[in-house]
Amino acid sequence: MTATAPAPTGFEPIDPAIREQYDRDGFVVIKGALPEEDRAYFENAVDRIYAEEEAAGELRPDRSIHVMGWLHKDPRFPELLTWPTTFPYIWGNMGWNIYTHHNHIDVNPPKDEPPFWNWHQDGYRQNSDIDMDVRPMFMTKICYALTDLSEPGYGNTKVIPGSHKNNTLEGRPEKPGDPIIEPEGAVEVLLEPGDAFIFDRRIWHSRSMNKSERIRKLMFIGYTYRWIRPLDEAVADQSSEWFQGLSPLHQQLLGYGPDHASFWGIKQSGWIDDEIPLRAELKERGLLDRAIPYLR
């Protein structure tokens, strides 16, 4: 009689060797994280969301989507927060005082596009507002592959192993038309359907070009610390006559933002929001300075 291994619970300690590898490389791949039946279920759910975005006229010009805040869109999506094969890598590297603050679904059809530079670290303003070497991790992210990304050219995520301990990355083109030079050490993360890719948000990474005939479908869940939020209770009713009578700058400094993306310095599209009152004021006065990260 052959004994079978018990099913994972999500609360198994991670292997110290994997912890060491994660600290060294900044990422780890979990093979077969989603059993096929579950992978197919979640792909169908993502297809439904894509259809909803298409019906609402929200597709991007290349017919891709980048939908944030999606965990409420299917009854089973919250299961992914503590998925047994991946959850140990979250609490095992971050501890217990965590929550999910940023999630997105990406669907990218094939696209014949020229080479582009999209190397970045996640975290938006965390990478500019915190001036220290090396910046804190703050976020761990899981990427679940719903489609085949097992060969180069499928739109895989590219990473530079170990780059999470570098605040800067050389090679960004200075102006349009400059040659695109691949950073040294860049590799594509190859994933089969159902695999997961867990990474430190600081690792320098980029989406590659999807030159296949396949559609790239991914689910991302980001975890951060529960203290990344206001400490005080609200000091004022933001709908009150008093608050509405304040200047936009004073409203910003008392916690107002038109949406959550604004608190990270961006619009929902992911671009810097030049309408944030203090940024707009500094820009008008010529006080922004690209040489100083937190004044960019």
Side-chain angles (χ1 to χ4, degrees), residues 258-270:
D259 53 36
H260 287 184
S262 174
F263 301 141
W264 293 78
I266 60 168
K267 297 181 178 180
Q268 289 289 345
S269 63

Side-chain angles (χ1 to χ4, degrees), residues 46 103 187 227 238:
V46 167
N103 310 286
V187 297
W227 39 260
Q238 294 189 357

